[in-house]
Amino acid sequence: MSTDVHQLDDGAWVSVNDTREVNVSDLWRLAGGEFCACRLTDFLAEGFVEVGVDGGNVEARIAGQCIQCGESGVTGWLTLGRVDPETGAFRPVVPESVHRPA
Amino acid sequence: MTSACYLTYSCKYCRAPGEPGKVDEVVVGIRPDRFLRDMPSKVERWKDETYGLEIRDHLERFAEEGFSAIPDDERDAWFERFKWWGLYHQRKGQESYFMMRIGTPMGRLTPEQLRTVGEVAREYATGPVENPEFGAAYADFTTRQSIQLHWIKIEDVPDIFAELESVGLSTIQACGDSWRNIVGSPVAGRDSDELIDVWPIVEELHDRFKGNDLYTNLPRKWKVAVTGDRRGAGQGDINDLAFEPAVKEIGVSEPDSEARQTASDGGEEVAGFNVNVGGGLARKEPRLARSIDVFCRPENAAAVAAGLSGLFRDYGDREDRFNARMKFLVDEWGTEKIRSVLQEEYVDYELPTAGEGLREEYDYNAGRSDAPGDYVGIQDQADGQNFVGLSVLVGRMAAADVIELADLAEEYGSEMIGLTQRQNVIVGDIADEDLDAFLDEPLLSDYSPDPHPFMRGSIACTGTEYCSLSIVETKNRMVRYARWLKENVSVPEGVSDFHIHLSGCTASCAQPQIADISLRGMKTRKDGGAVEAFDVGLGGGLGENPRFADWVEMRVPADEIPGYIANLLEVYEAERDGQESFREFVADRDEDELSGLAEPEETSYEDPYLNNTKMTWYPYADEDDMSASPAPTNAKGDPMPTDD
């Protein structure tokens, strides 16, 4: 089963197989130190800049800022969730768990 | 090399999902964005397939068959297309409900049209839950002089269109990638002090560019302002295309369109427009419209507008929607190239150089201490009558009040209702002898021509109540802020007009960068938990020297904003120089001084929606969890089964 993903409404949300799945305004915890100098970036998602599919993973680069230090920019590729290859169902990750952008 | 494409995402080679095609020069496994960068966006593909007037037929078909008739795998495409007809699918948790935008050029309506808006709102713009401040049905007057209704069901759209069109109103191109509602002063032709009555020009532009196949499908929205007054009320600086009032002496050495000059003895002074392009506020990339050194006679406005929107259509970026607005093309090309391409490819007469503008007279949203910055209050018309500007807090008016206002306007002989870019409303044509009686009407105690400064100057966008992009609750919060400020904060002496613009995100629909105090939706942590917050900017405004706000306080918890404003105004009152306006006070201080001016503070203000309103299906529902949403619903508002 193929996966159709795109961002819409000026990057407000990500559609996976024509269902709105991931919104802006969530807070994401990012590890890796590439976005800002904080030990753990407390990242507010303000807009989805690019989306893609890598295998079963739905990924995106997100514009936003760290609400601890104020650094703003665009993240590396983050996994938003995974599409079940059998059913096409989307299983989102938990934004506030720790993620490492690629 | 040739290999199988495994993607359906935006892939022009693999039109059908699940049917891989052949792709040249692509390595299997590469991320889609890496090789799609040179291809038009998916939205462009949808637009190529169906866009413009023809969407109407599909809308009516879906309305007849019901929301569920829109195929699941086509919904995103149709929702994108519906925007062209003014329908915007509401946010997550509100599926099957739409915002409907009605475009009213320069915000002008007749009382009959306004009444129809109120009746449509009363009958159709009701959702599953009432808004605690505004009730069950209301209309929003926007910063672009349009009207927005919420909770619209697609099944009702044909009836709504019929009602609106019966009085000459339309939702055509109110959203989407085309000519949007044209903004300008609603009192053009009535203003006692204007250079040009632009209403006939705006009517011409509206008629020519709405429903015109040549301009149906632009790379992005196209916002136009036409100003003929001396106030700068069109706010052209923040539009893609701005016609700014100007005069120019045109002589034999500088021919223009019809060569009408009588210039044998030095030329003819002509009233017209200077042409600026590429303004806009969105996405933390604010730009003021820039001069392309062109003067335009009123009779040439349509030709110049056609040329510039044609240039944007042909050269705007269709590959990256984030880079598509005219402001980015102006950044890339520069104004000289814009002018030369316009001249060489789109206009068949020699464009005169810019004339002398009236900018030094502008006072609309200009932060001046010697003139009001809006239309609120009683002002003279050119014909000896009066227009009365009424304050509509955050631009939202109950449907019943909309109808009552229309009735009142008609009763008093008004032929013009005006919606302003400050989300207020004007009733025109009130005779001197009727003025006192009009001002005594009970409705005007709620929508005052002499409001408290904090009520008068407050603007807010739609926010998380309905909007997908917003980070925070906006309109109701601004109402609560304004009430608290009114009750708890002294207005500095001489201040009658203080502008606070509250926008839920960086899209800047409330125009936050051009306010005395700018509030832009954000989040922060407080006591360990995530709360809604604002970045705070100071000292923005238009006028003679337009300037965007300086962002001085970041990530202030929403419940500490009223305290910050109170502290700030105390400092302003104590330290200002004479009658220095707030904007002048800010302009006189550097970044470090501004950052230390005042501190955010908790006060008696309590914010009942401090936590994440975006996580709810509707912030004001008793059961607000996303799982409690009744959406999607059928035509009667009953929940429909979903796959989830």
Side-chain angles (χ1 to χ4, degrees):
Chain A
M1 178 175 278
S2 63
T3 300
D4 192 20
V5 301
H6 41 261
Q7 54 83 12
L8 283 171
D9 294 349
D10 294 338
W13 48 277
V14 173
S15 169
V16 181
N17 292 329
D18 281 83
T19 301
R20 291 193 281 201
E21 296 289 3
V22 191
N23 288 287
V24 294
S25 86
D26 284 336
L27 289 168
W28 294 69
R29 301 245 185 211
L30 307 182
E34 290 184 2
F35 188 84
C36 66
C38 293
R39 188 182 61 81
L40 208 55
T41 300
D42 203 355
F43 181 79
L44 172 65
E46 296 185 274
F48 295 95
V49 176
E50 292 182 279
V51 290
V53 180
D54 191 357
N57 288 342
V58 174
E59 301 185 340
R61 298 180 65 225
I62 312 176
Q65 67 174 277
C66 173
I67 63 170
Q68 298 298 332
C69 71
E71 183 69 36
S72 62
V74 178
T75 66
W77 287 94
L78 281 166
T79 298
L80 306 182
R82 186 167 180 81
V83 176
D84 185 311
E86 299 298 320
T87 66
F90 178 73
R91 303 275 179 247
V93 300
V94 176
E96 293 225 43
S97 59
V98 177
H99 305 266
R100 186 177 294 272
Chain B
M1 129 183 201
T2 299
S3 57
C5 174
Y6 73 105
L7 298 161
T8 58
Y9 163 72
S10 286
C11 180
K12 67 181 180 183
Y13 301 100
C14 300
R15 295 286 183 181
E19 295 177 18
K22 297 294 181 184
V23 183
D24 291 334
E25 305 299 321
V26 171
V27 178
V28 172
I30 197 167
R31 276 212 175 90
D33 59 288
R34 305 281 158 80
F35 71 89
L36 291 168
R37 209 176 289 274
D38 293 329
M39 299 177 189
S41 71
K42 181 173 275 188
V43 172
E44 283 297 320
R45 201 179 78 201
W46 293 336
K47 287 159 58 183
D48 278 348
E49 292 168 358
T50 305
Y51 211 54
L53 288 170
E54 62 182 316
I55 297 167
R56 175 79 172 250
D57 294 337
H58 297 280
L59 253 179
E60 295 189 353
R61 172 169 58 87
F62 292 133
E64 186 176 335
E65 297 174 4
F67 180 82
S68 58
I70 307 171
D72 287 346
D73 60 354
E74 297 178 15
R75 286 191 173 169
D76 290 343
W78 285 114
F79 296 158
E80 190 65 33
R81 294 171 181 137
F82 290 167
K83 293 175 186 173
W84 200 91
W85 273 103
L87 286 167
Y88 211 115
H89 197 213
Q90 291 181 187
R91 73 163 170 89
K92 186 174 177 65
Q94 301 170 4
E95 287 78 7
S96 80
Y97 290 100
F98 292 83
M99 179 274 282
M100 173 179 279
R101 186 180 294 158
I102 305 162
T104 47
M106 294 207 315
R108 280 170 78 135
L109 303 103
T110 63
E112 180 188 32
Q113 289 174 326
L114 185 70
R115 184 181 303 107
T116 300
V117 168
E119 290 169 350
V120 166
R122 185 177 59 186
E123 183 167 356
Y124 300 105
T126 56
V129 176
E130 291 190 8
N131 179 298
E133 299 288 349
F134 298 97
Y138 37 83
D140 288 348
F141 304 146
T142 77
T143 53
R144 284 192 53 78
Q145 298 173 278
S146 296
I147 300 161
Q148 292 182 176
L149 308 177
H150 298 280
W151 299 120
I152 299 297
K153 303 297 298 181
I154 195 168
E155 293 86 350
D156 293 328
V157 166
D159 288 343
I160 296 173
F161 280 178
E163 287 191 43
L164 294 175
E165 289 167 2
S166 72
V167 294
L169 291 172
S170 176
T171 64
I172 188 171
Q173 291 170 242
C175 314
D177 295 344
S178 62
W179 272 73
R180 297 292 191 86
N181 192 43
I182 302 167
V183 297
S185 168
V187 294
R190 287 173 169 78
D191 198 326
S192 59
D193 187 20
E194 64 184 359
L195 182 70
I196 303 168
D197 173 9
V198 298
W199 178 237
I201 299 167
V202 170
E203 284 186 298
E204 180 189 3
L205 296 178
H206 179 84
D207 291 344
R208 177 164 172 178
F209 295 106
K210 294 285 186 176
N212 183 330
D213 281 347
L214 286 174
Y215 307 94
T216 282
N217 180 357
L218 303 179
R220 283 289 267 120
K221 62 183 81 169
W222 178 253
K223 294 179 174 179
V224 177
V226 184
T227 305
D229 58 43
R230 297 173 184 276
R231 308 167 187 253
Q235 298 201 125
D237 294 319
I238 56 170
N239 282 262
D240 295 294
L241 168 59
F243 290 97
E244 299 284 353
V247 293
K248 183 174 176 66
E249 191 168 286
I250 295 181
V252 290
S253 61
E254 191 159 30
D256 82 334
S257 61
E258 312 300 323
R260 292 193 305 122
Q261 54 271 61
T262 58
S264 58
D265 58 357
E268 168 196 14
E269 187 166 271
V270 177
F273 306 100
N274 285 339
V275 180
N276 297 346
V277 296
L281 298 176
R283 304 196 72 82
K284 293 185 181 174
E285 297 270 8
R287 302 283 191 283
L288 295 168
R290 287 146 278 183
S291 169
I292 56 169
D293 194 20
V294 167
F295 176 80
C296 172
R297 288 177 183 266
E299 58 268 35
N300 292 331
V304 170
L308 283 164
S309 52
L311 181 155
F312 176 58
R313 174 196 62 212
D314 300 339
Y315 292 102
D317 187 348
R318 291 182 188 267
E319 292 157 11
D320 179 359
R321 291 182 65 76
F322 294 121
N323 191 50
R325 288 290 297 275
M326 184 65 176
K327 62 186 176 185
F328 297 117
L329 185 61
V330 179
D331 287 355
E332 183 185 340
W333 280 14
T335 53
E336 286 184 22
K337 182 174 178 182
I338 297 282
R339 189 188 201 284
S340 65
V341 173
L342 173 68
Q343 177 71 80
E344 290 163 16
E345 301 181 23
Y346 293 95
V347 176
D348 62 2
Y349 73 95
E350 189 172 339
L351 295 164
T353 56
E356 186 174 344
L358 309 179
R359 186 170 281 277
E360 71 277 4
E361 298 181 54
Y362 287 6
D363 55 27
Y364 193 83
N365 193 27
R368 286 166 52 160
S369 56
D370 62 345
D374 60 22
Y375 281 114
V376 173
I378 304 152
Q379 299 191 38
D380 296 337
Q381 288 187 186
D383 63 2
Q385 299 190 94
N386 308 276
F387 64 81
V388 181
L390 307 177
S391 174
V392 183
L393 185 55
V394 301
R396 179 167 286 180
M397 185 179 272
D401 293 344
V402 173
I403 295 168
E404 187 178 344
L405 182 64
D407 290 343
L408 272 183
E410 192 166 271
E411 181 185 331
Y412 281 86
S414 173
E415 296 180 357
M416 193 282 296
I417 307 290
L419 311 178
T420 78
Q421 293 188 52
R422 300 204 53 73
Q423 297 185 328
N424 294 318
V425 63
I426 297 168
V427 180
D429 312 328
I430 306 296
D432 284 345
E433 59 270 28
D434 295 334
L435 196 53
D436 287 343
F438 181 72
L439 296 175
D440 284 341
E441 292 289 350
L443 187 68
L444 271 63
S445 60
D446 290 331
Y447 305 99
S448 173
D450 185 23
H452 189 282
F454 294 133
M455 313 301 266
R456 174 177 185 162
S458 296
I459 284 179
C461 68
T462 298
T464 51
E465 185 178 9
Y466 300 113
C467 176
S468 293
L469 257 174
S470 186
I471 308 286
V472 299
E473 185 214 23
T474 54
K475 281 194 188 290
N476 286 25
R477 178 170 278 142
M478 189 67 245
V479 169
R480 298 193 301 271
Y481 281 176
R483 284 186 189 142
W484 188 89
L485 291 169
K486 179 182 174 184
E487 290 166 11
N488 294 279
V489 178
S490 300
V491 178
E493 187 188 342
V495 172
S496 61
D497 186 15
F498 191 77
H499 294 179
I500 303 173
H501 295 190
L502 189 157
S503 218
C505 70
T506 60
S508 302
C509 297
Q511 303 171 347
Q513 298 93 336
I514 53 170
D516 292 317
I517 294 183
S518 313
L519 303 175
R520 186 170 63 199
M522 182 42 56
K523 280 193 175 174
T524 193
R525 291 194 186 273
K526 183 167 182 170
D527 303 327
V531 296
E532 298 192 354
F534 291 94
D535 289 343
V536 182
L538 301 179
L542 299 181
E544 180 178 6
N545 298 301
R547 170 191 167 121
F548 297 132
D550 292 316
W551 296 96
V552 301
E553 290 285 343
M554 312 307 277
R555 302 180 298 284
V556 178
D559 62 339
E560 298 179 25
I561 291 289
Y564 173 79
I565 295 173
N567 293 339
L568 180 68
L569 289 180
E570 201 170 296
V571 173
Y572 165 60
E573 174 91 272
E575 296 185 8
R576 68 176 165 173
D577 183 7
Q579 289 303 302
E580 189 177 44
S581 75
F582 182 79
R583 185 173 166 198
E584 292 161 345
F585 175 81
V586 171
D588 283 347
R589 283 157 175 77
D590 64 26
E591 196 174 325
D592 287 344
E593 287 177 280
L594 293 174
S595 296
L597 270 184
E599 293 297 323
E601 184 181 3
E602 287 185 5
T603 60
S604 60
Y605 171 83
E606 291 184 5
D607 199 304
Y609 302 98
L610 195 58
N611 296 317
N612 193 345
T613 52
K614 197 64 169 288
M615 296 293 286
T616 69
W617 74 270
Y618 186 65
Y620 313 119
D622 290 337
E623 296 289 331
D624 65 3
D625 188 82
M626 198 65 80
S627 63
S629 169
T633 63
N634 62 19
K636 294 179 180 174
D638 299 325
M640 291 191 293
T642 67
D643 296 335
D644 297 334

